[in-house]
Amino acid sequence: MRDPERATDEQAPSGLARLARGVTGLSTTIRGRIFVAFLGMSLLSGALGLYAVVAISHVGVLVNRTYDESLMSINYARATAADFAKMRSAFARRTYVRDAAEAAKLDAEIAELSTTLAEDLTIAVERSQSDRSVRTAGAVQAAVAAWEEMRRGLDPATARPERWDALDQRANAVDSQIDLLVNYTAGDGFTFRQAARMLVAREMHVNAVVAGLAVFACALIAWLLNRRITGPLADASVAAERIASGRLDDRIPAGGRDELGSLLRSMAVMRDNIHAMMQREVSQRRVAEALVTDALQTSREGVVVVDAEGGIALANAQALHFFDGLEAAIAAGMSLAVPADEAGSGSKTLDECFRALARDGEIRLADGRWLRVSRSATQSGGFVAVCSDISLLKEQEDRLTETNLRLDAALDNMSQGLCLYDAQHRLMVVNRRYSEIYGLPADAIVPGMSAQDVLSVSLAAGNHPGSDLATLLRQEHEAHRGGIWHTQFQELGNGRTVSIDRRATADGGFVATYEDVTERRRAEARIAFLAHHDTVTGLPNREALGQQIEMAVAQAGRDSGFAVFAIDLDDFRPVNETLGHGVGDELLAAVGERLTACVREIDCVARLGADEFIVVQRGVDRAEEAAVLARRIIEVLSAPYSLSSHEISVGLTIGITLAPGDGASCEKLLKNAEVALDRGKTEARGSFRFFEPEMDARLQARRILERDLRDALAREAFEVYYQPIYSLAADRICGFEALLRWDHPSRGFVSPAEFIPIAEELGLIVPLGEWVLRRACEEAARWPDGLKVAVNVSAVQFTSASLVTAVREALRRTGLPGRRLELEITESVLVANPGATTAILHSLKALGVRVSMDDFGTGYSSLSYLRSFPFDKIKIDQSFVRDLCIKDGTDFIVRAVIGLGSSLGMTTTAEGVETEAQLAHLRAEGCDEVQGYLISRAVPVSQVGEVINRWNGAARAIA
């Protein structure tokens, strides 16, 4: 076996030999020489750079040590001095403090400063660079410990002056040691800075020397490389010029063993090859002539050769096929200079041949075929005419022309503008609609223009104010994101919006379509606006309001609070239903404008629906600020409104909740504001109320009552009671007043004064009133013929157009004569719209129904109403009858009302008669009718017959 160690020794020389041969081989080629030269320069540059990196790293280490150790050590030594100074200051304050808590606080501060001093001193020792600094730090620690020990054993109250002096000496010793430590650490830093400067200077000198040597070596390598390459390259250049000039017999010098030598040898071979190829070319040309002749005869194109004198020298088989008689003409030596008819030939085909060969172009033969003739001049002065059958091509062109016409018609009638560009962005196709969209003349945009030229024309037309060509190009580039064209929208100078869509074509170009989307964008903007705004007033709607409140809630914790106002118009429903929704919308818009004028820009005004508005007042710290705004809103909104056809006044009630105290969410704040609003509407309309927590409980009870009221109406769970009306002239009951009663399953009888206003607010009073009217008429129809029934009509019912119809239908279905029905209204019915109410009252009178004014004398304009409408009866309110026997002037009022009714021919009825004295007084004053507890309470329909029998004696049975 072979010894491994010996084998290794044998392999090493062979490896070195291969490396040497590789280097020698490289040096014998141009590429090798260039490689070796650049490798040497690269190694020199790399070595120089590596040396510079090492030197810089050494400098960096010194710099880091100078900062991280010396400078930090100085800083912490100074921090030790500051800590000790604070300890002395705290101890000085401790000597004068008598309060135990304050003294304990100062002791804790001294202990903390002692700990901090020890930590700073430790860090200063760790970062120090000399033993003397370490020793001095130990001395500082010992001096501080001695001062601490003496301070703890010193009682400020009993210590003698010499003890204080000793403590000060200890402190001075500490200060001296600290100053010495600062000086030592500063000296260490100076030592390191000096070492760094010396190292930098030495490295700069060495780098300069090394760089000079590297430059010299690179220059030497470049000189050697030029010497070995330039001479052989000149010989190769001369040889190439000789071959190019055609001197194929000149001698080509021999080269060396490198690439230039190979190049010279290759050029010699190339010269020989060229010479051989020339000889082969002559032989091939002869063969080619034979092939051309064969191809000419078999070509599908007709070829005719004409000499300088116009004689037909040659015609191939296809040409003879195109033109009959051409072969005979060639044999006869006919010339194109002499027409065929003059030469004695009567062939029309030959005439066509002569006309076709006379010029370039297209000609249609007698048999319908089309020929295209292309003439090429020959060196002898004649020409060669090539005739091609283009009949199929002409047919395709005709079809293409027809298709293009249709396409042009389609393009010109497109609703979109269109531009087609080629791969060089040159315009190929443009339709009429493009010029219309951009307001350009018909000939302003023509095919052949570049895309930039088209943009320039649009700019010159003023379509893009404030933009230049660079801006438009940038916008177009932005529309081409990720290699995909995206829709681009342009705003033109005339306010129009154009949507631009581009699609790449297969040839590298693109097609762009332009659509006027102004109306669509306006519609989209309108839709977006309506999604967050009210259509009538233009104010934010519920969704936008929620966003505003959520923003205000988020800012309330950082800045200040805010207030939410719930505003309800008190008299809007009569206006909306009597004057129409158009007037109602106009009023709402006017209210929105006034509300907006009352608030600041940072505040928000919104409409939630119907006549409910919301105001969000920002920056509210106190309730008084919200109250000031509420008073201003009430004052401004209560002023009369001069609308297009009416002058209207409305009242309003405001509920206010304050955030974040009353709630921290939109739903909670809106609910609390509505609770306060409901409280205000219940207690004092035309004012404002702040939310109080107990209001919520009352609101829940009201909500339950509203729910039960709706359920009771759906189930008709009401009763009609009847209170008799007594005629003083006839001393008998002349009728009954129908009074609505509600026997609640759990609450018992609910007062009408409690549920009637709720029914009016909920809009239930109209169906409820119609139900009472039908029930009263139905039951009164079964009473004796002389008895009438009085039904109260709410003011809300007069805003419904169905009141007259409901009365007419009730009389028709029950058969009750109109004279036996009496409708009682209050003067509030006439307040909202006297004209419309008077028209309804006249319509009711036309049905034979009697109309009475209830609660007469409690309003402020009753006399004017009596003059505007002939009421059948006026009812004296029970508030006057109650105090009738008291000498306070009430009896004069009652006497005046009775006298007024008598003079106007109206019946007077006094309500609330409870005593014989009241009855006697009213009889003496001439009152016509009375009703009250003295006669009877209101009774259910089952007891009506009993009441009639008790007061009127025997009566016919009630069916």
Side-chain angles (χ1 to χ4, degrees):
M1 294 181 63
R2 187 176 181 183
D3 188 7
E5 294 182 358
R6 183 178 178 182
T8 303
D9 293 339
E10 292 176 356
Q11 290 174 359
S14 66
L16 293 174
R18 284 198 299 271
L19 178 61
R21 286 196 299 271
V23 173
T24 304
L26 286 174
S27 62
T28 59
T29 64
I30 294 177
R31 287 177 297 173
R33 292 167 185 168
I34 295 175
F35 172 75
V36 170
F38 279 98
L39 178 62
M41 288 189 289
S42 299
L43 291 175
L44 288 173
S45 300
L48 181 61
L50 181 61
Y51 180 79
V53 169
V54 172
I56 291 173
S57 65
H58 289 166
V59 174
V61 170
L62 283 175
V63 172
N64 288 337
R65 291 187 62 188
T66 300
Y67 175 76
D68 291 342
E69 297 177 358
S70 299
L71 295 183
M72 294 299 291
S73 178
I74 295 170
N75 290 337
Y76 278 100
R78 291 174 178 170
T80 301
D83 293 337
F84 183 70
K86 292 179 181 178
M87 290 176 62
R88 293 183 65 186
S89 175
F91 177 69
R93 295 198 307 272
R94 173 66 176 83
T95 59
Y96 295 101
V97 173
R98 296 293 179 265
D99 182 59
E102 186 66 24
K105 182 178 179 181
L106 290 172
D107 289 339
E109 181 179 352
I110 293 172
E112 182 179 358
L113 288 171
S114 178
T115 303
T116 304
L117 184 145
E119 293 175 353
D120 292 341
L121 189 60
T122 300
I123 297 175
V125 170
E126 291 175 353
R127 301 298 177 95
S128 63
Q129 299 297 317
S130 62
D131 294 336
R132 61 182 183 178
S133 298
V134 176
R135 290 193 300 273
T136 304
V140 171
Q141 186 66 44
V144 172
W147 182 84
E148 280 281 326
E149 182 178 0
M150 181 175 290
R151 178 188 64 79
R152 293 192 190 95
L154 184 65
D155 186 1
T158 61
R160 289 176 299 176
E162 54 269 19
R163 294 294 302 276
W164 289 103
D165 293 340
L167 182 64
D168 289 340
Q169 291 175 2
R170 293 279 187 181
N172 292 334
V174 173
D175 289 338
S176 299
Q177 292 297 328
I178 292 175
D179 291 341
L180 187 60
L181 175 62
V182 171
N183 292 333
Y184 285 164
T185 55
D188 293 343
F190 177 78
T191 301
F192 274 101
R193 286 194 298 272
Q194 289 298 110
R197 289 175 181 173
M198 293 175 62
L199 179 61
V200 170
R202 187 187 67 188
E203 294 299 336
M204 289 179 63
H205 178 73
V206 172
N207 273 323
V209 173
V210 173
L213 293 175
V215 170
F216 175 77
C218 291
L220 179 61
I221 292 172
W223 178 78
L224 292 173
L225 189 65
N226 180 66
R227 184 170 177 273
R228 298 297 299 272
I229 295 175
T230 303
L233 188 61
D235 294 339
S237 177
V238 172
E241 289 179 356
R242 291 173 180 172
I243 295 174
S245 61
R247 298 185 318 195
L248 302 179
D249 296 330
D250 290 349
R251 174 181 171 278
I252 295 178
R257 294 184 299 169
D258 56 8
E259 286 91 343
L260 289 175
S262 300
L263 178 61
L264 291 172
R265 290 190 294 273
S266 298
M267 292 177 68
V269 175
M270 181 178 64
R271 179 198 59 185
D272 296 339
N273 290 338
I274 291 174
H275 183 71
M277 288 175 60
M278 290 179 63
Q279 292 179 347
R280 286 197 302 271
E281 183 179 353
V282 173
S283 175
Q284 290 173 357
R285 185 173 297 174
R286 294 191 181 96
V287 175
E289 288 179 355
L291 293 176
V292 167
T293 302
D294 182 60
L296 186 63
Q297 292 299 324
T298 58
S299 174
R300 298 178 60 183
E301 310 293 332
V303 180
V304 179
V305 180
V306 180
D307 58 22
E309 289 74 21
I312 302 175
L314 175 65
N316 67 349
Q318 187 65 30
L320 298 177
H321 173 72
F322 286 154
F323 306 107
D324 293 337
L326 181 58
E327 185 175 4
I330 296 174
M334 289 186 180
S335 174
L336 295 181
V338 180
D341 52 356
E342 295 182 7
S345 174
S347 174
K348 295 182 178 179
T349 305
L350 194 56
D351 291 340
E352 292 176 348
C353 174
F354 284 8
R355 286 189 287 106
L357 298 179
R359 57 181 177 81
D360 289 344
E362 297 175 356
I363 184 170
R364 187 172 188 178
L365 303 180
D367 57 4
R369 290 182 301 168
W370 281 88
L371 294 182
R372 176 178 295 152
V373 179
S374 176
R375 305 198 326 171
S376 300
T378 61
Q379 295 181 355
S380 60
F383 63 88
V384 177
V386 179
C387 304
S388 304
D389 188 348
I390 59 171
S391 301
L392 181 60
L393 180 61
K394 293 295 286 187
E395 182 180 351
Q396 292 175 347
E397 286 182 353
D398 292 340
R399 288 199 299 266
L400 181 60
T401 300
E402 184 178 357
T403 302
N404 288 338
L405 291 175
R406 294 174 182 172
L407 180 60
D408 290 342
L411 289 176
D412 286 338
N413 290 278
M414 284 177 59
S415 61
Q416 299 174 327
L418 181 139
C419 290
L420 175 63
Y421 293 90
D422 61 12
Q424 288 72 40
H425 289 191
R426 291 284 176 181
L427 183 64
M428 299 171 63
V429 177
V430 61
N431 68 347
R432 175 175 51 83
R433 180 59 180 158
Y434 176 84
S435 299
E436 293 176 353
I437 291 176
Y438 285 92
L440 304 175
D443 56 349
I445 304 297
V446 294
M449 298 176 64
S450 66
Q452 292 191 15
D453 294 338
V454 175
L455 291 178
S456 300
V457 172
S458 183
L459 273 172
N463 287 318
H464 312 281
S467 300
D468 54 11
L469 182 59
T471 302
L472 296 182
L473 291 175
R474 184 177 66 255
Q475 294 173 355
E476 183 176 316
H477 178 72
E478 291 172 354
H480 190 254
R481 302 188 303 272
I484 301 175
W485 287 105
H486 298 269
T487 301
Q488 176 187 356
F489 293 94
Q490 278 187 350
E491 302 292 338
L492 302 186
N494 57 5
R496 311 297 292 177
T497 302
V498 178
S499 171
I500 306 176
D501 285 304
R502 301 177 180 87
R503 295 291 183 272
T505 57
D507 62 352
F510 66 92
V511 60
T513 57
Y514 304 81
E515 182 179 3
D516 188 342
V517 295
T518 305
E519 300 304 326
R520 186 174 72 192
R521 291 291 291 272
R522 290 175 180 172
E524 291 173 353
R526 180 63 178 170
I527 291 172
F529 178 83
L530 294 179
H532 295 84
H533 292 79
D534 174 49
T535 56
V536 176
T537 62
L539 297 175
N541 59 9
R542 183 179 295 273
E543 181 178 354
L545 174 66
Q547 297 174 359
Q548 290 288 334
I549 294 181
E550 292 299 338
M551 291 172 56
V553 168
Q555 296 175 354
R558 298 193 301 269
D559 302 328
S560 59
F562 63 95
V564 178
F565 296 66
I567 303 172
D568 186 78
L569 303 182
D570 295 334
D571 304 315
F572 176 72
R573 182 174 295 171
V575 173
N576 200 34
E577 296 186 358
T578 57
L579 300 182
H581 294 286
V583 176
D585 291 347
E586 188 178 358
L587 175 60
L588 290 175
V591 170
E593 292 177 357
R594 292 191 183 184
L595 267 179
T596 305
C598 289
V599 301
R600 302 163 299 175
E601 292 184 357
I602 62 173
D603 301 331
C604 174
V605 179
R607 177 181 176 233
L608 299 189
D611 57 345
E612 185 177 0
F613 293 83
I614 298 293
V615 172
V616 179
Q617 182 187 16
R618 298 286 190 93
V620 176
D621 297 321
R622 297 177 295 110
E624 290 77 5
E625 299 176 10
V628 170
L629 177 59
R631 294 188 188 97
R632 183 164 70 249
I633 291 175
I634 292 175
E635 178 184 357
V636 173
L637 267 64
S638 299
Y641 294 84
S642 297
L643 305 181
S644 59
S645 57
H646 297 82
E647 184 167 334
I648 297 175
S649 295
V650 294
L652 68 151
T653 306
I654 303 177
I656 308 173
T657 183
L658 300 175
D662 293 340
S665 67
C666 175
E667 294 77 7
K668 183 68 174 177
L669 291 171
L670 289 177
K671 176 187 174 184
N672 292 344
E674 291 177 356
V675 170
L677 173 63
D678 291 342
R679 179 68 177 274
K681 291 164 64 176
T682 302
E683 295 181 350
R685 289 176 177 265
S687 62
F688 61 90
R689 288 288 184 272
F690 283 93
F691 171 76
E692 299 172 2
E694 58 270 15
M695 290 181 180
D696 197 20
R698 287 195 295 270
L699 177 64
Q700 297 301 326
R702 176 187 170 92
R703 293 287 185 260
I704 294 174
L705 186 61
E706 290 177 359
R707 182 196 62 196
D708 294 344
L709 182 61
R710 294 179 186 275
D711 181 65
L713 179 60
R715 296 185 294 105
E716 296 186 356
F718 296 96
E719 296 181 68
V720 179
Y721 277 45
Y722 298 93
Q723 185 175 32
I725 303 172
Y726 192 83
S727 173
L728 296 179
D731 279 328
R732 59 188 292 118
I733 292 176
C734 60
F736 290 85
E737 180 181 359
L739 301 173
L740 184 63
R741 295 291 184 265
W742 180 19
D743 188 4
H744 194 276
S746 59
R747 300 177 56 176
F749 279 98
V750 182
S751 171
E754 184 177 357
F755 71 82
I756 290 296
I758 296 177
E760 290 179 341
E761 293 179 12
L762 297 178
L764 302 178
I765 194 63
V766 173
L768 185 59
E770 293 178 355
W771 179 85
V772 173
L773 178 65
R774 291 194 301 271
R775 180 62 60 88
C777 291
E778 180 182 345
E779 294 175 347
R782 295 193 291 268
W783 299 343
D785 186 62
L787 297 181
K788 61 190 175 183
V789 63
V791 179
N792 290 280
V793 180
S794 169
V796 178
Q797 289 179 265
F798 267 82
T799 63
S800 173
S802 62
L803 177 60
V804 177
T805 303
V807 173
R808 182 187 299 110
E809 186 64 19
L811 294 177
R812 185 190 65 81
R813 292 179 59 183
T814 61
L816 183 72
R819 57 183 172 77
R820 292 181 57 191
L821 176 62
E822 191 172 278
L823 299 179
E824 296 185 1
I825 67 172
T826 61
E827 56 191 349
S828 62
V829 174
L830 295 164
V831 170
N833 193 348
T837 303
T838 302
I840 294 176
L841 291 175
H842 280 289
S843 299
L844 294 173
K845 290 280 287 184
L847 298 176
V849 176
R850 295 168 54 84
V851 180
S852 66
M853 177 175 284
D854 197 7
D855 300 335
F856 182 78
T858 59
Y860 55 87
S861 57
S862 299
L863 295 180
S864 64
Y865 296 145
L866 293 178
R867 184 182 61 184
S868 63
F869 180 77
F871 287 90
D872 298 292
K873 179 194 290 188
I874 54 178
K875 299 185 71 173
I876 303 173
D877 188 69
Q878 60 182 349
S879 61
F880 297 109
V881 176
R882 187 182 305 115
D883 300 329
L884 184 61
C885 298
I886 301 175
K887 299 300 182 180
D888 61 350
T890 302
D891 54 340
F892 294 107
I893 296 175
V894 173
R895 183 181 302 121
V897 173
I898 294 173
L900 178 64
S902 176
S903 62
L904 294 176
M906 300 178 183
T907 302
T908 55
T909 301
E911 297 179 305
V913 178
E914 299 179 355
T915 65
E916 293 288 348
Q918 293 171 346
L919 178 63
H921 197 111
L922 291 169
R923 188 187 296 273
E925 293 293 343
C927 185
D928 298 311
E929 298 172 350
V930 295
Q931 64 182 111
Y933 289 170
L934 181 63
I935 307 301
S936 173
R937 292 176 178 270
V939 298
V941 67
S942 60
Q943 300 179 19
V944 168
E946 179 183 343
V947 173
I948 294 175
N949 289 332
R950 184 169 70 245
W951 290 99
N952 293 2
R956 65 181 178 86
I958 300 175

